[in-house]
Amino acid sequence: MNIAQTMKERSSVRGFIDKPVPDDVLQRIFKDAQKSPSNCNTQPWKVYVFSGEKKNELSRKLVEELQSGRPPVPDFEWSVKYQGGHRERQFASAAALYGALGVEREDKQARASAMLKNWQFFGAPHVAFFTMEKYLGIMGAVDLGIYAQSLSLLLAENGISSCMQGALGQFPAPVRAMTGMLDSEGVLFGMSFGYADSDAPANAAKTDRAELSDAVHFIV
Ligand SMILES: Cc1cc2nc3c(=O)[nH]c(=O)nc-3n(C[C@H](O)[C@H](O)[C@H](O)COP(=O)(O)O)c2cc1C
């Protein structure tokens, strides 16, 4: 698939089949992603990929954190309150997902259990955590975002679906404990990935995009 076609066909996937990506395929894709550009070629991304029993152990620990009732303690500030058109799109994307899942807007419990699936990695066989030195701030975050999208397109080209997850930055402690990350390093976000389950209701959720003229201005 070429890039334009991949972009047209891609969407976030939140339901996976129980089939790991072969190790040589993973190695090749992550090697190709290393070609991602970054400011001054600093390559600030440090990526931890969990699979198998370690992935399950991490999920259990994250769910425990979530259910402890303790507030999230992200390494980076994520708590933007969306306004205006951004807020409308935020609501529309949630409505697309909950609509596909058949969850009513008022059904708090069903919404909470749908949310919980973030930390169960939506049943994916793999999850990547994107981390960087905390001092980098916005410059590093730009580079990590570009890296993550490069990675996700490379995965898509190989028939592997993914979902980027800001939610995975909320409880960094278990990730830190299982990786030996230094205190100077922070978890920015994560991404579950694997082969899509075409029968999973969540994967029927589709989002739309603004008109080109609302987003891009060609000035001549
Ligand atoms: C930085 C970032 C963080 C995201 N965080 C989450 C998340 O925590 N949970 C989730 O289910 N989806 C998450 N998403 C997926 C978005 O909701 C999704 O990309 C958006 O609604 C557009 O839909 P599409 O990817 O299917 O085109 C995230 C996407 C990005 C780029």
Side-chain angles (χ1 to χ4, degrees):
M1 269 209 290
N2 65 32
I3 292 173
Q5 200 181 344
T6 307
M7 284 296 287
K8 275 194 194 110
E9 289 179 18
R10 68 150 296 287
S11 62
S12 293
V13 160
R14 300 181 182 85
F16 298 86
I17 59 168
D18 183 19
K19 176 183 164 194
V21 177
D23 202 45
D24 58 322
V25 177
L26 278 188
Q27 293 285 333
R28 175 167 50 78
I29 291 172
F30 277 86
K31 188 159 193 293
D32 289 346
Q34 282 295 106
K35 274 289 286 172
S36 195
S38 54
N39 193 40
C40 302
N41 197 28
T42 46
Q43 306 166 58
W45 52 84
K46 208 160 170 195
V47 186
Y48 297 96
V49 185
F50 289 78
S51 310
E53 190 36 49
K54 288 286 180 196
K55 180 213 60 164
N56 296 340
E57 183 184 335
L58 177 60
S59 173
R60 282 195 296 274
K61 289 180 174 165
L62 287 170
V63 169
E64 223 173 271
E65 286 284 332
L66 180 77
Q67 293 181 334
S68 72
R70 287 189 290 274
V73 278
D75 287 326
F76 299 96
E77 182 55 57
W78 266 92
S79 59
V80 58
K81 243 196 166 339
Y82 287 119
Q83 303 173 8
H86 300 149
R87 194 169 157 80
E88 282 169 23
R89 291 175 192 159
Q90 177 188 30
F91 275 52
S93 77
L97 178 59
Y98 293 129
L101 293 172
V103 169
E104 297 293 332
R105 204 172 140 58
E106 295 72 33
D107 191 343
K108 281 197 175 148
Q109 201 174 337
R111 285 170 77 103
S113 55
M115 192 64 190
L116 173 74
K117 292 201 163 52
N118 271 286
W119 293 277
Q120 295 166 333
F121 315 134
F122 305 115
H126 310 282
V127 61
F129 284 80
F130 305 115
T131 80
M132 65 179 194
E133 288 291 316
K134 288 179 190 164
Y135 83 90
L136 287 165
I138 194 170
M139 282 316 299
V142 168
D143 292 334
L144 261 66
I146 290 170
Y147 171 87
Q149 175 65 353
S150 303
L151 177 66
S152 127
L153 290 175
L154 287 163
L155 288 165
E157 188 189 33
N158 284 271
I160 301 159
S161 299
S162 58
C163 185
M164 293 194 202
Q165 293 168 263
L168 297 185
Q170 289 192 5
F171 303 101
V175 184
R176 186 163 274 112
M178 286 183 72
T179 57
M181 274 171 65
L182 301 174
D183 280 344
S184 60
E185 201 180 331
V187 177
L188 190 60
F189 65 117
M191 188 175 87
S192 300
F193 65 94
Y195 300 103
D197 176 356
S198 53
D199 294 332
N203 293 343
K206 296 290 175 250
T207 53
D208 58 14
R209 294 296 185 273
E211 291 298 325
L212 182 64
S213 57
D214 288 341
V216 184
H217 303 278
F218 297 97
I219 298 159
V220 287

